[in-house]
Amino acid sequence: MTEVIAVAVITLLAVISPGADFAMVVRNSYLYGRPTGLFAAAGVAAGVLVHVSYTMLGVGLLIASSTALFTAIKLAGAAYLVWIGIRTFRARAEVSVDLESKPQLSPLGAMRSGFLTNVLNPKTTLFVVSTFTQVVNPDTPVWQQAGYGLFMSAAHLGWFGAVALFFSDSRLRDRMLKAQKTLNRAIGSVLVGLGLGLGFAR
């Protein structure tokens, strides 16, 4: 149960932390409307499954080949959570959302933009790898690990689907961006705490 809660908390923090995925979905929703934003959100969720797939395979091979190397990567993951938490806490600039250019974008194009934004985002890579090396026990059944991966994808779909639904309205978008500093501080504080706790845990 502790493992499940930890995975859920880290995932939700990763999802709501403003970044490239957020900016892309906001932009598509604002320029092209809610349906296009929802397709972009679906693309983001599909991209998360790619990260989960190679992480599960890689972590499994790593454990089988070198326990020491796995431990080193686990400590690096804890350090990353602390580092990204401090950066998030100290962030002052608002997420940059390009609302100028408006080329035609089909539903497939919107989904592709969400997928590529997430797949090529190193932040998502590090969050997924950190979660699986920090929190998930090597003895956790594969089906349960796959369940965590599906939860991560579903959480991204739910959050960014909500972003598409609500922030296609410019007034709501502006309110969200204005509240970003407070959100960053809250998320950053929790991430630092998680990183320190996981780093010292045995």
Side-chain angles (χ1 to χ4, degrees), residues 49-139:
L49 293 178
V50 174
H51 293 290
V52 171
S53 298
Y54 69 67
T55 298
M56 286 181 61
L57 178 62
V59 169
L61 293 174
L62 189 60
I63 293 171
S65 61
S66 174
T67 304
L69 183 57
F70 175 77
T71 301
I73 291 180
K74 184 173 182 177
L75 291 175
Y80 168 74
L81 289 177
V82 173
W83 176 73
I84 198 67
I86 293 173
R87 286 197 61 184
T88 302
F89 183 90
R90 298 178 62 184
R92 295 180 180 178
E94 294 183 344
V95 173
S96 176
V97 182
D98 176 18
L99 299 176
E100 298 302 323
S101 58
K102 189 177 180 180
Q104 294 298 318
L105 190 64
S106 65
L108 182 60
M111 184 173 289
R112 183 171 57 246
S113 69
F115 178 80
L116 292 177
T117 299
N118 185 270
V119 165
L120 300 177
N121 188 352
K123 172 188 168 183
T124 307
T125 300
L126 292 171
F127 262 113
V128 173
V129 172
S130 295
T131 301
F132 273 84
T133 55
Q134 290 294 311
V135 180
V136 180
N137 193 297
D139 298 327

Side-chain angles (χ1 to χ4, degrees), residues 45 48-49 52 132 143-156:
V48 172
L49 293 178
V52 171
F132 273 84
W143 65 265
Q144 189 171 338
Q145 294 186 38
Y148 293 153
L150 291 175
F151 171 76
M152 291 177 180
S153 179
H156 279 75

